Amino acid sequence: MSKLRVESFTLSLDGFGAGPNQDLDNPLGVGGTGLHGWAMSTRTFRQHVFGGDGGSTEGVDEEFAARGFQNIGAWILGRNMFGPVRGPWPDESWRGWWGDNPVYHVPVFVLTHHARAPLVMEGGTTFHFVTQGIAVALERAREAAGGKDVRLGGGVSVIQQYLRQRLIDEMHIAISPVLLGSGERLFEGVNLPALGYACTRCESSPLATHVVLTRQ
């Protein structure tokens, strides 16, 4: 069976996976963008997110950035990762943070309480809006992935929901040397050892410490 993987999810030194007060100008919350200096230094990130050249082609940061796109056949996102709109959809004008050609290039399943028709984008990305909960989203994502892995993109609340159900097979967490002071704590109230997770890899670069947590 395909794996459910968290990749390149970055935490601050004080444990926050996103800053406070997410809005159109701060998609990762206030200060949240500063967490991702390690990723922005890599060739993989620059190609997938900005569609351009530059960035390192070697080293531990590039290795972890690249593995996040390997063997991925579908994504799952929380609604906040799709956009800042809250409550019922006022219309269908919001089409995601990424423009007409999003970074995913595979089917993406967005968890929401409010139904919306599938949104077909350029480059192979189609956003499907799932109102039936995390289990149904995972079932549909695995079917769409066609035997490849499913990447769980977040945000914090969504990862916590899947963690508490022991549905995540593997997590790559990058710990950035940044202090946010407030925001959303990824492991708040989550007992990882009791859920059967253990650290199976730990490597560092000047920009981040990379750990892999695996369900035993």
Side-chain angles (χ1 to χ4, degrees):
M1 181 181 289
S2 67
K3 292 181 178 180
L4 179 61
R5 294 159 42 196
V6 173
E7 295 286 349
S8 300
F9 196 89
T10 306
L11 299 181
S12 66
L13 280 175
D14 43 356
F16 297 106
N21 304 319
Q22 182 201 42
D23 59 21
L24 189 60
D25 295 323
N26 298 282
L28 298 174
V30 176
T33 302
L35 295 175
H36 300 279
W38 74 270
M40 293 180 185
S41 74
T42 67
R43 174 67 59 87
T44 291
F45 188 88
R46 290 177 179 271
Q47 286 181 335
H48 280 272
V49 177
F50 298 120
D53 296 326
S56 174
T57 60
E58 56 187 34
V60 65
D61 294 326
E62 168 61 17
E63 178 189 349
F64 274 102
R67 69 168 247 163
F69 291 93
Q70 294 167 358
N71 197 43
I72 300 298
W75 285 64
I76 297 173
L77 302 178
R79 180 167 169 179
N80 290 4
M81 295 292 289
F82 176 72
V85 181
R86 302 293 183 265
W89 302 99
D91 52 47
E92 297 189 355
S93 60
W94 179 261
R95 297 169 60 84
W97 297 107
W98 305 102
D100 292 331
N101 189 359
V103 302
Y104 306 104
H105 307 302
V106 293
V108 179
F109 295 85
V110 180
L111 289 156
T112 176
H113 295 295
H114 302 279
R116 178 172 170 174
L119 175 60
V120 179
M121 307 293 285
E122 296 176 11
T125 300
T126 297
F127 292 106
H128 301 273
F129 301 90
V130 182
T131 59
Q132 300 97 329
I134 65 172
V136 170
L138 180 55
E139 179 182 358
R140 292 183 59 187
R142 281 198 164 125
E143 182 179 359
K148 293 185 176 182
D149 293 340
V150 176
R151 181 167 169 176
L152 181 59
V156 167
S157 175
V158 169
I159 292 177
Q160 287 178 347
Q161 291 177 62
Y162 279 96
L163 264 181
R164 290 190 172 104
Q165 296 297 317
R166 299 187 73 251
L167 293 171
I168 297 174
D169 296 288
E170 191 171 85
M171 300 179 64
H172 161 226
I173 303 295
I175 303 169
S176 176
V178 171
L179 295 170
L180 288 183
S182 63
E184 300 179 52
R185 293 188 185 273
L186 179 61
F187 297 125
E188 186 76 32
V190 177
N191 188 332
L192 289 170
L195 292 170
Y197 291 90
C199 182
T200 53
R201 186 176 175 188
C202 181
E203 296 189 43
S204 297
S205 77
L207 297 177
T209 297
H210 300 272
V211 298
V212 176
L213 304 173
T214 305
R215 191 185 65 204
Q216 303 298 293

